[in-house]
Amino acid sequence: MWLEQEQLEVETVSYVDENGNALKEGISVSDEELAEMYSWMVKARVFDVRAMKLQRQGRIGTYAPLQGQEAAQIGSAYAMRKNDWVYPSYREIGVSLQKGLPMERLFLYTMGHLEGLKQQQANVFPVQIIIGAQCLHAVGGAWASQYQEEDSVSVTYIGDGGTSEGDFHEALNFAGVYKLPIVFVVQNNQWAISVPIDKQMASKTIAQKALAYGIAGVRVDGNDAVAMYETMKEAIEKAKAGTPVLLEAVTFRQGPHTTADDPTKYRLPEEETHWGAKDPLMRMKKYMTGLGIWDDERDRELFERAESEVTAAFNVAESTERSGLNDVFENIYAEKTPQLFEQQRQAKGAVRQ
């Protein structure tokens, strides 16, 4: 029998619609958890908006905004446990914050400071710029956890465009063969820089790619933080039990790919309006307001606190002494190799400090 794509039906998991109405009964997330998730989403949004302004002022370097993807990031990160590991790409600001990375370090990273890559405070690997490479690193981490019989799951994030990279497919194949404790979260934000999703792949969904590698796949409304949280909890349990998971979060990048990009050159205003009505912060606020646990006054106070926290973090980063050439050699290995010592000696003699 021929295998045809039309035979496959993939449901998109959603718990709360864009008007804030519950779509399912018995949602297990407590009022306190909802408020905490929303507070992280607001913090990520405020950081993001500020970072965009700072880049335009020339105070930080090139920046990849996450606006519109807060539910996909915070909902999934909030479901992780402290001993789970994150392998991010360059857009996972929300995930990194929620997992405990100090905000000032994120600012330092955008400034090109080597301290920005030191992440001892959280189980978050350094940002990976090479598209798809973080998936292989996550597989290595998951295999190590399996080998050492640790109660730990590796979670890696990638965009829809990144799924066209060989590293992504190699990682899924390896995870499936060795039944590793790993979750691949694909943030399908509709655009791989200027390439739309329908030009990126012929498959109806990204989630269905899991079948080719013998792992579990699921498609989630990535603007629904509750759906992301509930589904990610299940994904963590599956991964722990030896079934790797590919989770597709359907969302939208509201801003440019990076500050070096202009989305008005390739994206229609109608598309932005359509997805703007699905904004994850608006949806969460409407849902909590409908439950009677949120109001405009609490919302205003939350945004003000987030603004103050972002300002304080940037002030710390901006007042931190800049990295020098010598610092490069101190941030590679825990113990420097003889070759590294020699390179450091040569650099001191060749470059005026």
Short mmCIF file of all heavy atoms in Angstrom, two decimals, residues 92-117:
data_model
loop_
_atom_site.label_atom_id
_atom_site.label_comp_id
_atom_site.label_asym_id
_atom_site.label_seq_id
_atom_site.Cartn_x
_atom_site.Cartn_y
_atom_site.Cartn_z
N GLU A 92 15.98 31.93 22.48
CA GLU A 92 15.33 31.39 23.68
C GLU A 92 15.56 32.23 24.93
O GLU A 92 15.93 31.73 26.00
CB GLU A 92 15.78 29.95 23.92
CG GLU A 92 15.05 28.94 23.08
CD GLU A 92 15.31 29.06 21.60
OE1 GLU A 92 16.47 28.86 21.18
OE2 GLU A 92 14.38 29.38 20.84
N ILE A 93 15.31 33.52 24.84
CA ILE A 93 15.46 34.41 25.99
C ILE A 93 14.48 34.03 27.10
O ILE A 93 14.83 33.95 28.27
CB ILE A 93 15.22 35.88 25.57
CG1 ILE A 93 16.28 36.32 24.55
CG2 ILE A 93 15.24 36.79 26.79
CD1 ILE A 93 17.68 36.34 25.06
N GLY A 94 13.22 33.79 26.72
CA GLY A 94 12.21 33.43 27.71
C GLY A 94 12.54 32.15 28.44
O GLY A 94 12.42 32.07 29.66
N VAL A 95 12.97 31.13 27.70
CA VAL A 95 13.35 29.86 28.31
C VAL A 95 14.50 30.05 29.28
O VAL A 95 14.48 29.57 30.42
CB VAL A 95 13.75 28.84 27.22
CG1 VAL A 95 14.25 27.54 27.86
CG2 VAL A 95 12.57 28.55 26.30
N SER A 96 15.52 30.78 28.84
CA SER A 96 16.72 30.98 29.67
C SER A 96 16.39 31.72 30.95
O SER A 96 16.89 31.39 32.03
CB SER A 96 17.79 31.74 28.87
OG SER A 96 18.18 31.01 27.73
N LEU A 97 15.54 32.74 30.86
CA LEU A 97 15.14 33.48 32.05
C LEU A 97 14.39 32.58 33.02
O LEU A 97 14.68 32.55 34.22
CB LEU A 97 14.25 34.66 31.66
CG LEU A 97 14.92 35.90 31.05
CD1 LEU A 97 13.86 36.88 30.58
CD2 LEU A 97 15.86 36.56 32.06
N GLN A 98 13.42 31.84 32.50
CA GLN A 98 12.60 31.00 33.38
C GLN A 98 13.42 29.90 34.03
O GLN A 98 13.15 29.51 35.16
CB GLN A 98 11.45 30.40 32.56
CG GLN A 98 10.22 30.00 33.38
CD GLN A 98 10.44 28.74 34.19
OE1 GLN A 98 11.07 27.81 33.72
NE2 GLN A 98 9.92 28.71 35.40
N LYS A 99 14.44 29.43 33.34
CA LYS A 99 15.28 28.36 33.90
C LYS A 99 16.36 28.90 34.84
O LYS A 99 17.16 28.13 35.37
CB LYS A 99 15.94 27.56 32.76
CG LYS A 99 14.96 26.68 32.00
CD LYS A 99 14.38 25.57 32.88
CE LYS A 99 15.40 24.50 33.18
NZ LYS A 99 14.86 23.43 34.05
N GLY A 100 16.40 30.21 35.06
CA GLY A 100 17.28 30.74 36.09
C GLY A 100 18.51 31.49 35.64
O GLY A 100 19.36 31.85 36.46
N LEU A 101 18.64 31.76 34.34
CA LEU A 101 19.80 32.52 33.88
C LEU A 101 19.61 33.98 34.25
O LEU A 101 18.58 34.58 33.90
CB LEU A 101 19.96 32.37 32.37
CG LEU A 101 21.29 32.84 31.79
CD1 LEU A 101 22.43 31.97 32.28
CD2 LEU A 101 21.25 32.83 30.27
N PRO A 102 20.56 34.60 34.95
CA PRO A 102 20.41 36.00 35.35
C PRO A 102 20.24 36.91 34.14
O PRO A 102 20.92 36.77 33.13
CB PRO A 102 21.73 36.30 36.08
CG PRO A 102 22.20 34.97 36.56
CD PRO A 102 21.79 34.00 35.48
N MET A 103 19.33 37.85 34.25
CA MET A 103 19.01 38.74 33.13
C MET A 103 20.21 39.54 32.66
O MET A 103 20.39 39.79 31.47
CB MET A 103 17.87 39.68 33.54
CG MET A 103 17.25 40.43 32.39
SD MET A 103 15.88 41.49 32.95
CE MET A 103 14.63 40.26 33.34
N GLU A 104 21.07 39.95 33.62
CA GLU A 104 22.24 40.75 33.23
C GLU A 104 23.19 39.95 32.34
O GLU A 104 23.87 40.51 31.49
CB GLU A 104 22.99 41.28 34.45
CG GLU A 104 23.47 40.23 35.42
CD GLU A 104 22.47 39.96 36.53
OE1 GLU A 104 21.25 40.23 36.34
OE2 GLU A 104 22.89 39.47 37.60
N ARG A 105 23.21 38.63 32.49
CA ARG A 105 24.07 37.81 31.63
C ARG A 105 23.55 37.80 30.19
O ARG A 105 24.33 37.76 29.24
CB ARG A 105 24.17 36.38 32.16
CG ARG A 105 25.03 36.26 33.40
CD ARG A 105 25.54 34.85 33.58
NE ARG A 105 26.39 34.76 34.76
CZ ARG A 105 27.66 35.07 34.78
NH1 ARG A 105 28.24 35.52 33.69
NH2 ARG A 105 28.37 34.96 35.89
N LEU A 106 22.24 37.82 30.05
CA LEU A 106 21.67 37.87 28.72
C LEU A 106 22.03 39.20 28.03
O LEU A 106 22.33 39.23 26.84
CB LEU A 106 20.15 37.71 28.79
CG LEU A 106 19.68 36.32 29.25
CD1 LEU A 106 18.18 36.33 29.52
CD2 LEU A 106 20.01 35.27 28.21
N PHE A 107 22.02 40.27 28.79
CA PHE A 107 22.44 41.55 28.23
C PHE A 107 23.93 41.53 27.90
O PHE A 107 24.35 42.03 26.85
CB PHE A 107 22.14 42.69 29.21
CG PHE A 107 20.75 43.23 29.12
CD1 PHE A 107 19.95 43.32 30.25
CD2 PHE A 107 20.23 43.66 27.91
CE1 PHE A 107 18.67 43.83 30.17
CE2 PHE A 107 18.94 44.16 27.83
CZ PHE A 107 18.15 44.25 28.96
N LEU A 108 24.74 40.95 28.78
CA LEU A 108 26.18 40.86 28.51
C LEU A 108 26.44 40.09 27.23
O LEU A 108 27.33 40.45 26.45
CB LEU A 108 26.90 40.20 29.69
CG LEU A 108 27.07 41.06 30.95
CD1 LEU A 108 27.60 40.20 32.09
CD2 LEU A 108 28.02 42.22 30.68
N TYR A 109 25.69 39.03 27.01
CA TYR A 109 25.86 38.25 25.79
C TYR A 109 25.59 39.11 24.56
O TYR A 109 26.33 39.05 23.58
CB TYR A 109 24.94 37.03 25.80
CG TYR A 109 24.91 36.30 24.49
CD1 TYR A 109 25.98 35.50 24.09
CD2 TYR A 109 23.83 36.43 23.62
CE1 TYR A 109 25.97 34.86 22.86
CE2 TYR A 109 23.81 35.79 22.40
CZ TYR A 109 24.88 35.01 22.02
OH TYR A 109 24.87 34.38 20.80
N THR A 110 24.52 39.90 24.61
CA THR A 110 24.19 40.75 23.46
C THR A 110 25.25 41.83 23.24
O THR A 110 25.32 42.41 22.15
CB THR A 110 22.82 41.43 23.64
OG1 THR A 110 22.87 42.34 24.75
CG2 THR A 110 21.72 40.40 23.87
N MET A 111 26.04 42.10 24.26
CA MET A 111 27.12 43.08 24.14
C MET A 111 28.44 42.45 23.68
O MET A 111 29.44 43.14 23.52
CB MET A 111 27.36 43.77 25.49
CG MET A 111 26.19 44.58 26.00
SD MET A 111 26.52 45.15 27.69
CE MET A 111 25.07 46.16 28.00
N GLY A 112 28.42 41.14 23.51
CA GLY A 112 29.64 40.45 23.10
C GLY A 112 30.59 40.17 24.24
O GLY A 112 31.77 39.87 24.01
N HIS A 113 30.08 40.24 25.45
CA HIS A 113 30.92 40.01 26.63
C HIS A 113 31.02 38.51 26.90
O HIS A 113 30.02 37.80 26.88
CB HIS A 113 30.33 40.72 27.85
CG HIS A 113 31.29 40.94 28.96
ND1 HIS A 113 31.86 39.92 29.67
CD2 HIS A 113 31.79 42.08 29.48
CE1 HIS A 113 32.66 40.42 30.59
NE2 HIS A 113 32.64 41.74 30.50
N LEU A 114 32.23 38.05 27.17
CA LEU A 114 32.44 36.61 27.39
C LEU A 114 31.73 36.11 28.64
O LEU A 114 31.39 34.92 28.75
CB LEU A 114 33.93 36.31 27.47
CG LEU A 114 34.65 36.42 26.11
CD1 LEU A 114 36.15 36.44 26.31
CD2 LEU A 114 34.25 35.31 25.18
N GLU A 115 31.48 36.98 29.61
CA GLU A 115 30.76 36.56 30.81
C GLU A 115 29.32 36.17 30.48
O GLU A 115 28.69 35.46 31.24
CB GLU A 115 30.77 37.70 31.84
CG GLU A 115 32.11 37.94 32.50
CD GLU A 115 32.51 36.80 33.42
OE1 GLU A 115 31.64 36.26 34.13
OE2 GLU A 115 33.71 36.43 33.43
N GLY A 116 28.84 36.65 29.34
CA GLY A 116 27.47 36.31 28.97
C GLY A 116 27.27 34.85 28.64
O GLY A 116 26.14 34.36 28.61
N LEU A 117 28.35 34.14 28.38
CA LEU A 117 28.26 32.71 28.07
C LEU A 117 28.49 31.82 29.28
O LEU A 117 28.37 30.60 29.18
CB LEU A 117 29.26 32.35 26.97
CG LEU A 117 28.97 32.96 25.59
CD1 LEU A 117 30.05 32.56 24.60
CD2 LEU A 117 27.62 32.51 25.07
#
